[in-house]
Amino acid sequence: MSPDTVLSPEAAARRFLRSLASPTRILVAISGGSDSTGLLLALLEALKAEPNSQISLCAATIDHDLRAESADEARHVAALCKSLGIAHVIHVWRDPKPKTGIMVAAREARYELLADAAAELDANLIVTAHTLDDQRETRAMRSARSDNPSTGIADAVLFERRVWIARPFLSCLRADIRAFLSARALPWLDDPSNEDLKYERVRTRAALAGEGAPEADAYGDIRLELSRQAAQWLGRHFTLPCEGLGRVDRDGLEAPLDVLGYALGRLAAVFGGQRFAPGRVQMDRILALVTAGTPRRMTASRVVFDLRRDGLYLARESRGILPLVVAPAERGIWDGRFVVANRSSFDLTVIARSANSSLVPVLATAIQPRRVAGLPKAALKRALAAQPRISVAADANLCMNSHPDVTLTRYFALFDRFLTRFDLIFAESLAAAFGMRPYPSPPLGLIDGKAI
């Protein structure tokens, strides 16, 4: 689905529908703006031109409740969908709005609500109307913050292991979408926030105005190939000899630097409970350590990298592991590494085992340490000390790790919230290495002869 050419909205919609490999009910995220209205209409027209009983459409509008007009705009979209014979729901973001980072918070809430709407309407795929213009803006913003190459907006993303989100219009220009709607005399809504220069994207859009259509970028394909090679590397060279301790054998450290950097960066995020792989400066330090070959330790991205003669050991460092309180009937993510689900009647506290050495450490029944002969004692001690201990908040001596009403499961902060198609192959290999359930596959087959 990489935008190697600029497509018309009609052509993009036909190409996308032909790529679907299984019965699909598509939820179209529609705000009423030109891009999302064009996406809904283009998909509807494509289905009418080439009827397919195994594909159907529904739609959802997310009212972020940030402007007085938003409720009326959502009702306008509902009326449009009704006139087109498309089932539609409105979900409102009712949570308290943060004073800073409102755009990021709104994005997070939008995907949560879209996933809820998909479940409500029995949809197994969400589509959003990100365009080639959006792609260019995103790459420009990311390049301003980092000199790492960026894939920009991914054409398909798995959200919270729940539902795949696809972007069929990443090959389309906004001007072409508006021309498509104008030819059908179908109006759209303009969000005034799209002109507000206090937002980075609006400033970037203004700076890029008049530069013409963005050029194709092959970095998505490069990253996909890196994901494949790193997955093979992981299967050959990575083991989990004890809970919380990863090991890369010496042969694995001889891999090409691009593969080694991709794999170690993502392993660092997993062991450190981080949503992002280390930046270039930290990765350069990590690669310098492993390629030098001299046994020593360093800490980066909350992970201790311990290079020994038999390989590289990775474990969470002991600092900065904060406690978590989980109320009855709630779930929480502890340290970006574990999900704790509390079905008991007690408030629970989750801490690192090392946080109270007087307590007898007990791990969850599904996550038991395996003491393997020959492991470095310091690395083993470090790994086990960073594992979770769950107790009743009112009685720290009452351990709940093995209680039947408490569930502790591993969590990859890097992948389990948003997993791009580019990283899916590596993420699947990583999940298998850690004994986790596999990620759902996208309901997509081939695009222009390329596997998705």
Side-chain angles (χ1 to χ4, degrees):
M1 292 167 64
S2 300
D4 48 359
T5 57
V6 176
L7 297 179
S8 68
E10 301 97 317
R14 289 193 302 270
R15 186 177 77 156
F16 175 72
L17 291 175
R18 289 168 184 167
S19 77
L20 297 176
S22 58
T24 309
R25 182 160 173 79
I26 303 170
L27 177 83
V28 181
I30 176 169
S31 65
S34 60
D35 300 344
S36 58
T37 302
L39 176 60
L40 179 68
L41 189 61
L43 290 173
L44 182 61
E45 288 188 0
L47 275 177
K48 287 181 177 179
E50 298 180 17
N52 187 330
S53 62
Q54 302 214 342
I55 301 175
S56 61
L57 299 178
C58 56
T61 299
I62 306 305
D63 176 3
H64 294 93
D65 195 26
L66 295 173
R67 296 180 293 109
E69 307 89 350
S70 63
D72 286 339
E73 291 170 355
R75 285 190 286 269
H76 167 85
V77 176
L80 170 65
C81 290
K82 184 177 181 180
S83 71
L84 297 173
I86 294 174
H88 174 269
V89 295
I90 299 170
H91 282 210
V92 183
W93 183 28
R94 302 193 184 278
D95 295 339
K97 308 303 188 285
K99 293 182 180 180
T100 59
I102 187 66
M103 297 297 279
V104 173
R107 173 181 178 268
E108 295 279 336
R110 180 163 61 252
Y111 285 118
E112 288 274 5
L113 294 171
L114 284 172
D116 291 344
E120 179 181 343
L121 294 174
D122 294 323
N124 60 342
L125 179 65
I126 298 171
V127 294
T128 63
H130 292 86
T131 66
L132 196 49
D133 304 86
D134 295 320
Q135 183 72 284
R136 176 174 60 172
E137 294 159 10
T138 297
R139 286 188 176 132
M141 289 188 294
R142 292 181 183 175
S143 65
R145 292 191 288 268
S146 170
D147 55 0
N148 286 331
S150 172
T151 56
I153 302 171
D155 49 21
V157 175
L158 178 64
F159 177 70
E160 282 199 332
R161 287 179 169 262
R162 295 168 63 186
V163 62
W164 277 92
I165 302 165
R167 282 78 181 251
F169 269 9
L170 276 182
S171 299
C172 300
L173 294 171
R174 182 166 295 116
D176 294 339
I177 298 169
R178 293 186 170 187
F180 165 76
L181 291 174
S182 296
R184 289 149 180 79
L186 189 63
W188 60 85
L189 303 171
D190 284 315
D191 184 342
S193 65
N194 289 330
E195 305 298 327
D196 192 337
L197 291 173
K198 74 179 180 182
Y199 298 119
E200 180 189 16
R201 181 171 292 277
V202 179
R203 296 193 301 272
T204 303
R205 184 175 302 150
L208 294 173
E211 290 193 6
E215 296 180 0
D217 192 326
Y219 191 68
D221 290 338
I222 294 172
R223 179 143 147 207
L224 184 61
E225 180 57 28
L226 267 179
S227 177
R228 288 194 182 98
Q229 293 181 29
Q232 294 173 352
W233 175 92
L234 196 78
R236 294 180 186 133
H237 303 293
F238 175 80
T239 55
L240 197 68
C242 137
E243 195 57 48
L245 183 65
R247 177 180 177 272
V248 178
D249 65 37
R250 271 288 180 176
D251 289 344
L253 302 180
E254 302 296 326
L257 282 182
D258 56 348
V259 175
L260 196 59
Y262 177 99
L264 289 181
R266 281 146 187 81
L267 284 172
V270 166
F271 281 94
Q274 304 275 48
R275 291 186 64 176
F276 302 99
R280 176 165 289 183
V281 172
Q282 285 192 312
M283 280 309 308
D284 285 346
R285 292 179 58 225
I286 294 167
L287 291 174
L289 168 76
V290 300
T291 55
T294 304
R296 64 184 181 91
R297 289 194 303 271
M298 65 169 285
T299 301
S301 290
R302 310 201 310 183
V303 176
V304 177
F305 293 83
D306 189 350
L307 184 62
R308 304 279 180 137
R309 286 186 172 82
D310 64 330
L312 176 71
Y313 292 87
L314 299 87
R316 173 72 165 94
E317 69 168 326
S318 59
R319 294 181 300 174
I321 303 179
L322 302 178
L324 173 72
V325 176
V326 185
E330 297 291 334
R331 65 192 289 274
I333 298 173
W334 179 75
D335 198 46
R337 295 184 292 138
F338 293 95
V339 176
V340 181
N342 182 10
R343 298 185 303 277
S344 76
S345 57
F346 307 103
D347 284 341
L348 301 178
T349 299
V350 191
I351 61 173
R353 289 178 59 183
S354 61
N356 191 334
S357 58
S358 65
L359 298 175
V360 177
V362 180
L363 293 183
T365 54
I367 306 178
Q368 293 286 357
R370 292 175 287 129
R371 296 183 181 276
V372 179
L375 287 180
K377 290 182 179 179
L380 176 62
K381 181 179 178 180
R382 184 182 306 116
L384 295 181
Q387 293 306 290
R389 185 186 192 279
I390 307 172
S391 62
V392 174
D395 184 357
N397 290 300
L398 185 54
C399 182
M400 298 288 284
N401 280 72
S402 58
H403 195 281
D405 290 334
V406 178
T407 303
L408 180 66
T409 54
R410 196 181 299 280
Y411 181 79
F412 291 166
L414 178 69
F415 294 137
D416 286 3
R417 180 72 170 174
F418 292 101
L419 172 58
T420 72
R421 173 180 72 87
F422 306 122
D423 294 313
L424 176 61
I425 298 172
F426 181 79
E428 288 176 330
S429 181
L430 193 64
F434 278 76
M436 297 170 64
R437 61 190 174 91
Y439 290 94
S441 298
L444 300 167
L446 299 176
I447 287 284
D448 294 341
K450 295 181 180 179
I452 298 302

